[in-house]
Amino acid sequence: MEIVRNILLVLHFVGLASLLGGFMVQMSAFRTRSGRINPAILHGALTQVVTGLLLVGVAEMGDADVNHVKIGIKLVVALTIYVLALVFRKKETISNGILGTIGLLTLVNIVVAVFV
């Protein structure tokens, strides 16, 4: 079971890297107001949600103590990011507010993961 958890954890990190990297690529678009949802943001958010849920399932099956408040917060934040990416993925350009919200929520999820 430890191997499954480690594989899921690596995939969770890959999703985070994709999401954060996709946002970082779009940061230059803040000046020109030409930001858009790239596939890295969309797929990174989906990977985060799916692997996060699977990680919780694996932890619940084992002896690990799961902080359900932390998981709930992270799930709501990740789902919000995914829904924003899904809704605005077809737009040619999106507002700086939407792009900034995605970046801020990504950072919030990282902070919650580390400090809570």
Side-chain angles (χ1 to χ4, degrees):
M1 200 52 102
E2 188 70 20
I3 292 172
V4 172
R5 189 189 80 77
N6 287 339
I7 291 170
L8 288 172
L9 190 59
V10 167
L11 291 173
H12 196 65
F13 289 151
V14 168
L16 174 62
S18 176
L19 178 58
L20 191 58
F23 169 75
M24 297 294 267
V25 166
Q26 293 296 314
M27 282 186 64
S28 63
F30 274 107
R31 279 182 262 123
T32 61
R33 298 187 190 275
S34 61
R36 56 187 316 248
I37 300 297
N38 56 29
I41 292 173
L42 182 66
H43 298 299
L46 181 60
T47 301
Q48 285 271 276
V49 170
V50 171
T51 57
L53 289 172
L54 290 172
L55 279 166
V56 171
V58 168
E60 288 283 351
M61 289 188 320
D63 293 335
D65 288 332
V66 178
N67 184 344
H68 293 288
V69 173
K70 174 181 178 177
I71 299 304
I73 292 169
K74 287 182 57 60
L75 179 61
V76 167
V77 171
L79 283 174
T80 304
I81 294 168
Y82 181 65
V83 167
L84 284 172
L86 199 60
V87 168
F88 291 100
R89 76 184 187 281
K90 299 269 187 192
K91 305 275 187 190
E92 277 300 313
T93 60
I94 61 171
S95 72
N96 286 349
I98 297 297
L99 195 56
T101 300
I102 289 172
L104 182 65
L105 287 174
T106 301
L107 184 60
V108 165
N109 233 2
I110 294 168
V111 169
V112 169
V114 172
F115 291 110
V116 176

